[in-house]
């Protein structure tokens, strides 16, 4: 019997304004043109837990950093094991999975607010949370990011945004440093042209091979 090869699990993370959505769409299109089947997905997901997360992100409900980390992690487990359209099911069917945000976001956003290694352990030691084949981090300096996202704001708001962007970027970098030995993480210079970035990403994905 013919052995079906597993799909590839590709995660995108990125700084605000780095063009994550554009690049995800372009990669999906190119992989499909190559004849591959692609499943595009994102976190938080559309699950009940995902809804709770969206309410909290929108400020409708208030949650602590541990509650948020636990909810994101639970949502991620469903995302992996859902028998109908979970990540595991798709990969097993030979479909490439492109996921917009994954545990790197939990480690950067929630992890930095929680003392100790709990958020790391919960995500990286969970047998039902798969490690991606590659994490593509679309990187911009806070200046570049602001140039793209902020137009016509007052000075103080610009400073606040700058500080926040700097902080988030630092957090992602420290997460990547920590995972450097055990994972395939690529920092992509998102200040290049859309086509250049798309080409770079396409080449990286094609070196992943198909198992
Ligand atoms: P979303 O509106 O989907 O935006 P984006 O285009 O920025 O990806 O919002 C997702 C938000 O959730 C984003 O602000 C980051 C946050 N988030 C976490 O804080 N932790 C997580 O684990 C994940 C997956 C997302």
């Amino acid at each position: 019997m013919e052995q079906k090869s597993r799909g590839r699990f590709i995660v995108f993370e990125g700084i605000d304004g780095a063009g994550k959505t554009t690049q995800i769409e372009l990669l999906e299109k190119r992989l499909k043109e190559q004849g591959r089947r692609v499943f595009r997905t994102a976190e938080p997901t559309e699950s009940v837990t995902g809804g709770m997360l969206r309410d909290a992100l929108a400020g409708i409900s208030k949650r602590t950093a541990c509650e948020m980390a636990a909810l994101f992690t639970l949502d991620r487990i469903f995302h992996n094991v859902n028998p109908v359209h979970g990540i595991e099911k798709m990969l097993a069917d030979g479909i490439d999975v492109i996921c917009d945000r994954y545990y790197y976001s939990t480690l950067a956003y929630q992890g930095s607010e929680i003392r100790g290694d709990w958020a790391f352990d919960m995500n990286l030691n969970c047998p039902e949370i798969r490690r991606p084949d590659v994490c593509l981090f679309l990187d911009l300096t806070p200046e570049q990011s602001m140039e793209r996202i902020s137009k016509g704001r007052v000075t103080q708001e610009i400073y606040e945004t700058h500080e926040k962007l700097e902080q988030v970027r630092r957090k992602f970098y420290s997460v990547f440093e920590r995972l450097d030995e055990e994972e395939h993480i690529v920092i992509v210079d998102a200040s290049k042209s859309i086509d250049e970035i798309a080409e770079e990403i396409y080449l990286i994905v094609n070196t992943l091979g198909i198992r």
Side-chain angles (χ1 to χ4, degrees):
M1 205 173 68
E2 197 194 328
Q3 178 92 38
K4 211 168 16 178
S5 58
R6 186 173 76 75
R8 293 157 310 174
F9 183 21
I10 303 149
V11 167
F12 279 80
E13 297 274 4
I15 296 291
D16 279 345
K20 201 156 44 82
T21 309
T22 306
Q23 291 302 331
I24 288 174
E25 279 167 8
L26 288 172
L27 179 64
E28 178 184 21
K29 187 164 166 274
R30 277 188 92 168
L31 290 176
K32 282 185 171 165
E33 280 165 5
Q34 229 184 21
R36 299 208 45 96
R37 286 178 302 157
V38 179
F39 176 65
R40 230 175 99 181
T41 185
E43 294 190 359
T45 72
E46 298 302 320
S47 72
V48 174
T49 314
M52 290 165 80
L53 283 161
R54 260 185 287 278
D55 282 353
L57 288 168
I60 295 165
S61 54
K62 257 196 118 39
R63 304 228 173 246
T64 67
C66 283
E67 282 181 295
M68 290 301 279
L71 287 170
F72 271 117
T73 308
L74 177 60
D75 187 41
R76 188 160 301 125
I77 294 173
F78 288 152
H79 199 190
N80 273 265
V81 304
N82 181 315
V84 183
H85 41 71
I87 294 167
E88 285 300 331
K89 165 84 169 92
M90 294 296 165
L91 295 174
D93 286 349
I95 299 169
D96 288 333
V97 175
I98 305 179
C99 185
D100 184 347
R101 294 193 184 277
Y102 201 52
Y103 54 61
Y104 312 94
S105 282
T106 305
L107 305 183
Y109 292 100
Q110 283 72 49
S112 58
E113 291 179 38
I114 301 170
R115 229 179 327 114
D117 278 346
W118 182 65
F120 270 84
D121 292 342
M122 198 168 40
N123 277 275
L124 302 175
N125 295 331
C126 176
E128 294 180 354
I129 294 181
R130 178 182 280 276
R131 301 252 187 152
D133 293 310
V134 68
C135 167
L136 299 156
F137 180 69
L138 302 191
D139 191 30
L140 282 181
T141 64
E143 291 74 22
Q144 292 163 336
S145 172
M146 284 179 59
E147 220 178 281
R148 293 199 190 170
I149 60 176
S150 70
K151 289 209 171 80
R153 288 194 195 159
V154 299
T155 320
Q156 201 190 346
E157 274 178 329
I158 289 175
Y159 280 128
E160 277 172 15
T161 311
H162 186 282
E163 201 171 303
K164 188 124 189 288
L165 288 167
E166 181 80 60
Q167 233 176 38
V168 170
R169 189 176 186 226
R170 258 203 310 269
K171 283 179 207 163
F172 270 112
Y173 268 79
S174 72
V175 168
F176 296 149
E177 249 166 59
R178 215 170 142 168
L179 295 175
D180 189 40
E181 302 269 292
E182 48 195 294
E183 292 212 10
H184 185 19
I185 294 162
V186 184
I187 294 176
V188 178
D189 176 1
S191 68
K192 294 187 195 161
S193 75
I194 290 176
D195 289 347
E196 272 178 299
I197 299 167
E199 186 63 25
E200 185 179 337
I201 289 174
Y202 184 67
L203 292 176
I204 293 166
V205 168
N206 273 336
T207 61
L208 293 177
I210 298 152
R211 270 163 274 171

